[in-house]
Amino acid sequence: MTELIVGLILFLGIHSASIVAPVARDKAAVRLGEYGWKGLYSVIALVGLILVIRGYGDARLDPIVLYSSPEWTRHLVMLLMLPVFVFFLAAYLPGRISHTLKHPMLVAVKLWAASHLLANGALADVLLFGSFLAWAVVDRISIKRRSVRDNPRFPSGKANDPAAIVGGLALYLAFVFWLHPVLIGVAIIR
């Protein structure tokens, strides 16, 4: 469980630099250069992500169950996850979806985390999904109070929404039928 917690602190901590210490983040970016900052940011995020994955996997071997969800919540998760991949891609493909949601990546993270909390009640699940949900809510609130940096994305265009929808649905199907069991170790379709 320690590995999971340290991973969450590193991963969400570096993703929170603009939330909790925007001046320090900007000074570090100036001191290291934009590419130096992004390199450091990426290394810390990657180490955190690896620790989250390993820690979560280890914690699932000996779960501490906080609550048990009814079987039907698994179906609800599948339904709620459908737009997550579309929103994820819409963050990089600016169009009507992106404009309507304003921050589609944060919407995707919140929907992913909240839906998984419905069906997974072990302590590790609550730590993982609850942390991401809390982070996404705080980040969305903080965006209103800070300047938003440009993120890498494709130019705005009419084909972006259809691309996000088709690509998102393809990713969803890939996760349902192949990637979730391979990467997470849990078959969605039983």
Side-chain angles (χ1 to χ4, degrees):
M1 194 71 69
T2 303
E3 202 170 24
L4 172 62
I5 293 168
V6 170
L8 286 167
I9 291 169
L10 287 174
F11 187 83
L12 295 176
I14 197 66
H15 280 83
S16 299
S18 292
I19 299 171
V20 297
V23 173
R25 182 260 175 230
D26 292 343
K27 285 181 181 178
V30 168
R31 190 174 66 250
L32 299 171
E34 196 62 30
Y35 290 115
W37 166 253
K38 287 180 179 179
L40 177 63
Y41 185 101
S42 298
V43 168
I44 293 171
L46 181 61
V47 169
L49 183 61
I50 289 168
L51 291 174
V52 166
I53 292 167
R54 288 177 41 152
Y56 183 69
D58 289 347
R60 286 181 39 218
L61 297 175
D62 191 21
I64 300 168
V65 178
L66 301 176
Y67 60 89
S68 296
S69 299
E71 184 67 22
W72 60 266
T73 59
R74 290 182 63 245
H75 304 292
L76 182 58
V77 171
M78 289 186 68
L79 178 65
L80 292 173
M81 286 298 295
L82 197 57
V84 166
F85 295 98
V86 174
F87 297 165
F88 174 80
L89 292 180
Y92 300 100
L93 299 166
R96 295 180 97 178
I97 297 170
S98 180
H99 178 74
T100 301
L101 297 178
K102 299 203 182 356
H103 303 284
M105 180 69 72
L106 292 176
V107 175
V109 170
K110 288 189 275 190
L111 196 51
W112 167 79
S115 66
H116 280 76
L117 281 170
L118 290 173
N120 300 290
L123 178 59
D125 300 318
V126 172
L127 282 173
L128 175 66
F129 303 119
S131 295
F132 271 89
L133 179 59
W135 170 81
V137 168
V138 169
D139 194 32
R140 179 63 180 100
I141 292 167
S142 77
I143 285 173
K144 296 175 184 174
R145 296 185 178 101
R146 61 182 160 94
S147 60
V148 179
R149 289 175 194 81
D150 284 333
N151 292 321
R153 61 174 80 189
F154 289 94
S156 190
K158 291 183 180 183
N160 287 354
D161 286 337
I165 292 168
V166 170
L169 293 177
L171 278 172
Y172 173 82
L173 292 173
F175 259 84
V176 167
F177 291 106
W178 180 59
L179 291 173
H180 203 276
V182 168
L183 297 175
I184 312 301
V186 177
I188 295 173
I189 306 293
R190 295 180 193 171

